[in-house]
Amino acid sequence: MRLHPCLALAAAAATLAVGALPAAAAPVAGPTTAGPTTAGPTAAGPVLTAGGSAVGVGDVLLAPLAAGTRATFSSDTTGSTGVFCGTSPLTAKVLSNPAAPGTATASLTGLTFGSCTANVTGVTSVKSLTVGNLAYNVTVADSAGLPVTLSAGPAGPIQASAVLNSWFGTLTCTYQLSGAFTGTADNTAHALVFRNAHFVKSGGSALCPGEGYFSATYGPMTDSTQPGGPAVSVN
């Protein structure tokens, strides 16, 4: 059997990615009457809030994988074959949180993967999955769709490496993010959702595939700096 198709798994760690954030409801205009009406003022408020308070610059945000989900590193966009990790905590530090409408920024300082298994021919176990060149830049906007963007930081491009035990011995596959790494914030679950982030091979064994896809849902995102660690929302 060929090992090549199995290892798209590592394409992944970028995973990164970073803070899950919910949204406040937009004000609803009152019914129209015969006379002139004036909409009440809308409070500006910051882009990110936690427990009704502004998320502060320097606050540390934490998020595990959403309950019942796994981080997936797959050989194609179906996500059916590859490496699946049961734990993947992330840590981010808030750099700015302007008044809405606007874009908050953060630094993704920690992202790890554990309890990983593989269902690909030729791979007997997953020794490790790691991301390189932390910290990464993160932006969260309160515009339509609540877009979240993860990009390379000063240390270099977003990178993921997998060390695999296989029929052919220990293999190392290294990948870098291809194009933009984008996701969305889910305000109901206080989560960050990433689907099929594309990575391309940058080094390692010839048996490693040329590309891979990463998907994961992180949440709930909480502000560990504030008392009680309230969930984070997007205004």
Side-chain angles (χ1 to χ4, degrees), residues 35-62:
T37 60
T38 303
T42 301
V47 172
L48 304 179
T49 60
S53 300
V55 172
V57 171
D59 283 9
V60 175
L61 308 183
L62 305 177

Side-chain angles (χ1 to χ4, degrees), residues 45-162:
V47 172
L48 304 179
T49 60
S53 300
V55 172
V57 171
D59 283 9
V60 175
L61 308 183
L62 305 177
L65 285 175
T69 70
R70 299 180 293 178
T72 302
F73 306 88
S74 59
S75 56
D76 57 38
T77 57
T78 67
S80 60
T81 302
V83 169
F84 308 92
C85 295
T87 63
S88 181
L90 67 80
T91 305
K93 182 178 180 180
V94 176
L95 301 179
S96 68
N97 186 21
T103 299
T105 63
S107 176
L108 182 64
T109 56
L111 184 63
T112 60
F113 297 89
S115 301
C116 300
T117 59
N119 68 347
V120 291
T121 303
V123 174
T124 57
S125 64
V126 180
K127 191 170 183 179
S128 67
L129 279 170
T130 58
V131 296
N133 297 332
L134 289 169
Y136 305 144
N137 298 320
V138 181
T139 63
V140 181
D142 64 348
S143 55
L146 304 181
V148 177
T149 302
L150 189 66
S151 59
I158 294 173
Q159 181 174 288
S161 296

